[in-house]
Amino acid sequence: MDFIIANIAPIMFGALVVFLLIGFPVAFSLAACGLLFGFIGVELGLMPQALLEAIPLRIIGIMQNDTLLAIPFFTLMGLILERSGMAEDLLDTIGQLFGPIRGGLAYAVILVGAMLAATTGVVAASVISMGLISLPIMLRYGYDRRVASGVIAASGTLAQIIPPSLVLIVMADQLGKSVGDMYKGAFVPGFILTGLYIVYIFAVTMVKPHLAPALPPEARTIREPDGTSGLRSLSLLFIACLGVGFGWAHYYDAFLTWRDKTPITAPLDETIVVSLSVAVLFALVLALFNKGLRLDLLSRMAEKVTFVLIPPLLLIFLVLGTIFLGIATPTEGGAMGAMGALIMALVRRRLDFKLFGQALNTTAKLSTFVMFILIGSTVFNLVFQGLDGRVWVEHLLTNLPGGQLGFLIVVNILIFVLAFFLDFFELSFIIIPLIGPVADKLGIDLIWFGVLLAVNMQTSFMHPPFGFALFYLRSVAPKDDYTDKETKKRIARVTTGQIYWGAVPFVLIQIVMVALVIGFPGLVTGSLGRHDKIDLDKVNIVVPANDQSYTTEAPPNFGTSNAAPGREGASQPAAAASGAAGDAGNAEADDIMKALQAPVQGASAAKP
């Protein structure tokens, strides 16, 4: 019994692991384990019964949390876009654009994955849609199965780190930080990770070009009437947009300074979003003028790319731009994104009651799943803290050698290992509440810490053999040999082993990204907050002169009599008392001002 009492917290954590290994649902495992050890703790006198009585209030607090409303909004937005055919149009257009170069389809999948991540925030939707659309095309034109499956699964997981990511909403809630700040911190690392994927595909095409060949000429269907590709017109449009975007980024600080009449340096994420918005609007206006006035300045390829890319980009800027600029909260941004997705689906004539019903049904299921896990984790963590589990975890992690760096290495290894068995929701609700307070006590910035763990948790989707992205891809990849509809050739199936081996290089890239975030914290913190330029050489500290310019008043009389008691206990008129109090207050204030001014004037300070 003494052993149980002394080690009740680690025993409770071990019991949770046993529940999960048995295969019991995570939400109910957390709640059952919390209630069981709560009753044991009350019986042993280790925690008060009132702590268990606070559970209903905690659950009501979860239901009243406005931040969590962003989860169903962003989920609905992503599902509407995925079912309205946006991913198919993007993959087809960008695949035609990059088709003439080696690895062009892989580049298209990565870029479309990043765009879907910035509009949907749902990994399953991204992986399944790209697996259904792009995998048959990549197999048709001779892509290696490991490269094709790996790039599709990895690109789909970008939805976890690129805002508006659902895991960042949960992470911010568990760490007690702003969702907007978490989005800002993850913005730059998310696109750096996208760049690392592109660099890897480029290296593959340089070393083994046969693994990712270019599209044959007959597969490039978007051409001009004279048979040319039209890439020159698109290149000129891209250069013009790039010049407009860079020009705006260069003068954006000056514009803000002129507008607010004070020197301002905008955060990096805000500058990027606003500059991209200006560049995209410039391309849209130019394309609309060209089409409306029939100027024939743009090729078919340039018009196709512009009109296909502009709607999702505008939706990205509508959501992220309003959040980063402080115009809308993440919940409001999610609501605008969901409405924007519905409008886009209506304009494309892809929205009907069946599609809308399916999207609402899936949104309700996912949101309920998240809420039940959050309720279960709240019960578990409340009891765990009542049994001094936080103290046990704190002693376990703060005594590690190496200080902050040692703590970060051990925690990231722990997350990486647990990601083999748990998904990011479970990791966020079980592990983050335990290690978050320890990180805060060690002086680690929690926004940076949350983004770092989000990058690490991304590997939970890619870990063989339990990665969910691999399961999603396995569900849509061909399990048997089949005949291609266009080429009439026999295509070999994609094996589970090929999917697993294709994921390994991208897991290593994600680990490299974790190391980059640790080694260069500015990748996250550089996007947080707006900083005013302050010239310290021009700062003046002015002490007010003793010019009797201030006045003091007696405190109001809250008594029943209009008279104030005098010094000798007699009553004085209120005005006289006020005057006397004012004279005394002035004299005392004069003494204090003289004492404050004495060091400035070089004299010795007088004691008031």
Side-chain angles (χ1 to χ4, degrees), residues 153-154 179 184 195 279 291 347 373 516 533 571 593:
V179 177
K184 291 179 181 181
K291 188 171 184 178
V347 170
I373 291 183
L516 288 176
K533 294 180 179 179
S571 296
M593 289 303 303

Side-chain angles (χ1 to χ4, degrees), residues 36 41 97 99 206 216 229 275-276 306 328 367 390 424 450 482 505 581 592:
L36 174 63
L97 176 62
M206 294 300 293
S229 63
S275 301
L276 287 175
T306 302
S367 302
R390 176 176 292 182
F424 71 92
Y482 67 98
I592 294 175

Side-chain angles (χ1 to χ4, degrees), residues 30 58 62 65 67-68 71 166-179 182 370-371 373-379 381 385 390 424-437 446 449-450 453 457:
L30 288 164
R58 296 288 289 268
I62 294 172
N65 190 345
T67 302
L68 298 177
I71 292 177
L166 298 185
V167 69
L168 294 177
I169 299 174
V170 175
M171 193 79 69
D173 178 72
Q174 294 299 300
L175 293 174
K177 294 296 180 180
S178 164
V179 177
M182 198 69 73
V370 173
M371 292 301 294
I373 291 183
L374 181 54
I375 291 172
S377 69
T378 299
V379 175
N381 287 316
Q385 293 176 19
R390 176 176 292 182
F424 71 92
F425 276 128
E426 296 159 1
L427 289 171
S428 300
F429 289 133
I430 299 173
I431 304 300
I432 301 305
L434 302 180
I435 62 178
L446 291 185
F449 187 64
L453 294 187
M457 286 182 190

Side-chain angles (χ1 to χ4, degrees), residues 26-41:
V26 175
F28 303 123
S29 297
L30 288 164
C33 192
L35 291 175
L36 174 63
F37 279 86
F39 294 140
I40 294 174

Side-chain angles (χ1 to χ4, degrees), residues 192-423:
I192 289 178
L193 186 59
T194 305
L196 292 178
Y197 289 169
I198 292 175
V199 170
Y200 169 72
I201 295 299
F202 177 77
V204 168
T205 57
M206 294 300 293
V207 177
K208 296 181 178 180
H210 64 280
L211 298 181
L215 283 180
E218 60 271 15
R220 306 169 200 167
T221 57
I222 302 178
R223 291 187 175 275
E224 296 301 298
D226 58 359
T228 59
S229 63
L231 291 178
R232 178 180 298 178
S233 173
L234 179 61
S235 300
L236 294 175
L237 177 63
F238 178 74
I239 292 172
C241 293
L242 205 62
V244 171
F246 272 111
W248 183 266
H250 181 73
Y251 291 105
Y252 185 53
D253 289 348
F255 168 76
L256 293 178
T257 300
W258 169 80
R259 187 192 65 181
D260 296 343
K261 309 302 182 186
T262 182
I264 292 177
T265 300
L268 179 60
D269 63 311
E270 180 181 323
T271 303
I272 292 175
V273 170
V274 174
S275 301
L276 287 175
S277 302
V278 173
V280 165
L281 288 175
F282 172 77
L284 177 61
V285 170
L286 187 60
L288 289 175
F289 267 108
N290 178 73
K291 188 171 184 178
L293 301 178
R294 298 180 180 179
L295 301 178
D296 293 331
L297 297 176
L298 300 178
S299 63
R300 289 182 57 197
M301 175 67 78
E303 282 194 355
K304 180 76 172 177
V305 170
T306 302
F307 288 124
V308 168
L309 290 182
I310 291 301
L313 286 176
L314 286 179
L315 188 60
I316 293 171
F317 299 140
L318 174 67
V319 176
L320 297 184
T322 53
I323 294 174
F324 288 176
L325 294 175
I327 299 173
T329 65
T331 302
E332 294 165 347
M336 289 191 296
M339 181 57 65
L342 290 172
I343 293 173
M344 286 176 56
L346 281 173
V347 170
R348 296 165 59 87
R349 299 179 181 178
R350 302 284 183 89
L351 185 64
D352 53 28
F353 284 105
K354 181 180 179 181
L355 185 150
F356 190 55
Q358 290 176 347
L360 288 178
N361 185 33
T362 306
T363 300
K365 287 181 179 179
L366 180 60
S367 302
T368 306
F369 166 75
V370 173
M371 292 301 294
F372 266 90
I373 291 183
L374 181 54
I375 291 172
S377 69
T378 299
V379 175
F380 178 85
N381 287 316
L382 183 64
V383 175
F384 193 71
Q385 293 176 19
L387 297 176
D388 289 335
R390 176 176 292 182
V391 177
W392 171 66
V393 174
E394 189 174 299
H395 288 169
L396 189 67
L397 296 177
T398 54
N399 294 327
L400 294 170
Q404 288 187 359
L405 183 59
F407 168 78
L408 292 173
I409 292 174
V410 170
V411 165
N412 278 282
I413 292 175
L414 175 66
I415 294 292
F416 183 81
V417 173
L418 291 177
F420 276 94
F421 313 102
L422 304 174
D423 70 359

